[in-house]
Amino acid sequence: PDTAFDFGSSYRFGMPFFIPVEYHDTRFQINENISFLRGSHLIKAGLEYNKTDAFQTFIGFANGRFIFNSTDGFINYVNNPSYVDCSDGSSSEDGTCPEGTEIVGPVLLYLQQVGVGGLSVEEAGTQTIDTTELAFFIQDNWQPQPNMNFNFGLRYEKQDNPSVQTPPSEVFFSSFIGQTRFGQEFPSNGDIPDDDIIQPRLGFTWDPNSDGSSVIRATAGIYAARLPGLALASTRSTNGSIGQTLFRNSALTPILGPPPAYTDLIDPNSVSDPFRPDVFVVSEDYRNPQTTTYSLSYERLFGAHTTALIKYVYSKGKYQTVFVNRNDPLLRNDGSGLGPWSEFELGSGGNGVGNLTSVESIGESLYRGITFQVTRRQSANLSFQASYTYSKDKSHDDNERDPFTYRYARVTDLDAEWGYSDRDQRHRIASWVLWNAPYGFEVNARFTYRSAQPLSLTEDGTVANTPQDRINDDGSIFPRNTGRKDNQYRSIDLRIARPFAWGQATIEPVLEVFNLTNSSNFLAPQTTNLIFNFDGTVQSGAGIPRQIQLGIKGRW
């Protein structure tokens, strides 16, 4: 099973808990455009209709998911499932701790997906997500003067998301819908909202000297994005009425029962009605993410073949997707350790929900970048381009597809999450040279550089393995992504070819070398500590070791 321990080294192995995923989709699409030329106006209009039926079997945590407190704890538990760690530092082989102490390990977390009401985990995880999208656009490309061009556009999109599988009146948490507890409104009406999106666009091009030696370009527009299907799938199936996630750990063994022996699973037939199951909902105020982007650039010709460009881009995002646990005990804050929705009847101590993952559109983002570029068009057997971009990218949350992970430090202070985005890349260089060398050789060289990715630190400068590590002793929250990983990357890639004519054919031997200097290419988990990483990727990032390949290309 998916197994993790040793938070410092992020040690993890086993099959990722969500594999295998069976998937296929069927799409019906209509796309039609029409153009009109009227004097200095080129008018275009069109429509697009997409109906997508996405079939999938997503088994979630069906394979089991273990997190242990230490390497020794893991080994002891594998050898004896009754082994426990005690709060006084002792351990026990029979599952009990000395009087006055409590069980604290070694299993910190065990999760397992099962069906409800006699459904198998495969039946509970099988669904067809049907989405209908209808879009219209109209644009006018207007050239009032030979040296000036305007482009006006308007796009309308309507996204009809799938309905839930269990009607709101019948779902496990139906009695919570419409309620307010401890100042917290239940975030969902039990359904998945649709969205209507209006997206205006504007473009402007001007040659101030009317001689082709320079050009000024400006753009503005609003662009929308979809809601990832995984969030829809979890909302429709993991609702306490079709599927549920079983939770166990060593500390709650006297209450919930013990976690299973390592490599075993909890028998689904031994599970009765859901007890505080984790539930996924989409906020009734949910909106599709939108980005408003502006750009301004100036390009000038130097000599007959070389141009220089400077471009500034400003992008402001709103309605960014954030996954929030609306049943966090901090939202109740009465010392009970329970959340606002942990009990159907307050004070009963009985059933309710566990984590209430709400898909919300409360995040924002801001990107600002400036690019300098030089381009030489083909002349004297040589062409090249080199560009450098300096940018800053900030956001509240960058987690748009992992509903099993909360990226914030404290649910009651989400504004404190504003900081450098996981995407932030301060410096970026991209350049290439194409040379038609003597004796028929073709030489292509490329140099790229990407600065290091962000890394969250604690106040004392150590790595924050979890968002909660950023909570300072005084209760304040240290900003996220203030550090940098050791994964900056630079590479020189080289391609040499020599075509040979052979009758009506051309044979071209090719030598290609990637990362010619064998520059360091350290890879690191993209966003979170590997132990909490959902996508199951051990390493990710940019960069490869030096690679050399030979080939022959034939054309006839």
Side-chain angles (χ1 to χ4, degrees), residues 135-435:
F136 300 93
F137 83 90
I138 184 169
Q139 70 177 43
D140 180 12
N141 192 10
W142 176 42
Q143 190 171 4
Q145 300 291 334
N147 67 334
M148 185 178 297
N149 189 83
F150 290 90
N151 191 296
F152 307 95
L154 184 65
R155 183 177 180 88
Y156 167 80
E157 293 191 71
K158 180 175 178 58
Q159 179 162 328
D160 289 332
N161 285 314
S163 299
V164 292
Q165 297 189 96
T166 307
S169 61
E170 301 176 13
V171 79
F172 178 79
F173 52 86
S174 61
S175 61
F176 291 149
I177 296 176
Q179 284 196 26
T180 298
R181 288 185 175 183
F182 301 94
Q184 305 295 318
E185 295 183 14
F186 194 76
S188 174
N189 60 10
D191 213 333
I192 300 172
D194 302 323
D195 203 358
D196 295 89
I197 309 159
I198 297 177
Q199 303 167 77
R201 315 281 170 82
L202 173 65
F204 170 70
T205 304
W206 178 40
D207 176 2
N209 299 320
S210 300
D211 60 0
S213 63
S214 62
V215 62
I216 296 173
R217 301 182 181 93
T219 66
I222 297 176
Y223 303 85
R226 294 178 173 91
L227 170 63
L230 182 58
L232 297 177
S234 298
T235 298
R236 299 176 81 237
S237 61
T238 308
N239 58 6
S241 301
I242 296 176
Q244 63 168 318
T245 301
L246 303 180
F247 164 75
R248 300 287 189 273
N249 68 11
S250 297
L252 293 177
T253 294
I255 300 173
L256 301 179
Y262 187 68
T263 73
D264 286 348
L265 295 170
I266 298 173
D267 182 3
N269 296 321
S270 68
V271 181
S272 57
D273 293 337
F275 178 78
R276 291 181 181 159
D278 291 348
V279 167
F280 293 79
V281 298
V282 178
S283 168
E284 57 185 291
D285 298 326
Y286 184 85
R287 298 285 307 277
N288 284 56
Q290 295 183 26
T291 301
T292 301
T293 297
Y294 305 93
S295 73
L296 179 65
S297 67
Y298 176 71
E299 187 173 10
R300 182 171 179 81
L301 179 66
F302 293 91
H305 306 285
T306 304
T307 62
L309 168 77
I310 180 172
K311 181 177 183 180
Y312 177 75
V313 177
Y314 176 96
S315 293
K316 177 66 175 178
K318 64 178 181 178
Y319 307 136
Q320 305 295 306
T321 300
V322 180
F323 299 104
V324 183
N325 179 16
R326 290 299 175 186
N327 199 38
D328 192 302
L330 290 176
L331 297 174
R332 181 164 171 169
N333 197 30
D334 62 353
S336 66
L338 301 175
W341 315 104
S342 295
E343 307 157 287
F344 285 137
E345 296 181 9
L346 283 176
S348 66
N351 213 359
V353 301
N355 288 342
L356 176 60
T357 301
S358 177
V359 184
E360 304 184 2
S361 50
I362 58 176
E364 296 182 348
S365 64
L366 177 62
Y367 170 88
R368 292 163 294 176
I370 187 168
T371 298
F372 303 91
Q373 180 174 291
V374 177
T375 303
R376 176 187 171 91
R377 298 180 179 89
Q378 187 73 20
S379 175
N381 298 320
L382 180 69
S383 61
F384 65 82
Q385 184 178 88
S387 67
Y388 164 73
T389 298
Y390 175 85
S391 63
K392 289 186 177 182
D393 194 348
K394 290 190 171 183
S395 66
H396 280 114
D397 194 306
D398 305 299
N399 177 21
E400 63 179 10
R401 63 168 302 275
D402 177 6
F404 305 108
T405 304
Y406 308 121
R407 299 285 175 85
Y408 51 81
R410 188 166 53 221
V411 69
T412 54
D413 197 1
L414 297 178
D415 287 341
E417 296 305 306
W418 180 257
Y420 288 114
S421 166
D422 296 337
R423 303 178 304 267
D424 184 59
Q425 194 170 81
R426 196 58 45 81
H427 306 284
R428 187 180 184 95
I429 298 174
S431 60
W432 56 264
V433 175
L434 181 60
W435 178 36

Side-chain angles (χ1 to χ4, degrees), residues 490-553:
R490 61 179 57 84
S491 175
I492 299 176
D493 304 328
L494 179 65
R495 182 183 190 271
I496 300 176
R498 174 59 166 90
F500 293 92
W502 186 25
Q504 299 297 317
T506 301
I507 304 299
E508 183 179 333
V510 177
L511 167 67
E512 292 180 317
V513 184
F514 302 95
N515 194 0
L516 178 67
T517 61
N518 204 27
S519 172
S520 298
N521 54 96
F522 298 116
L523 306 182
Q526 188 72 19
T527 52
T528 59
N529 183 294
L530 179 61
I531 288 179
F532 306 100
N533 189 290
F534 165 71
D535 60 23
T537 304
V538 175
Q539 293 178 324
S540 63
I544 58 173
R546 179 168 52 214
Q547 297 182 11
I548 302 174
Q549 63 184 29
L550 298 172
I552 296 179
K553 184 177 183 179

Side-chain angles (χ1 to χ4, degrees), residues 3-13 463 465 525 528-533 538:
T3 307
F5 49 84
D6 190 345
F7 294 89
S9 301
S10 301
Y11 202 78
R12 182 174 173 184
F13 62 88
V463 175
N465 286 310
T528 59
N529 183 294
L530 179 61
I531 288 179
F532 306 100
N533 189 290
V538 175

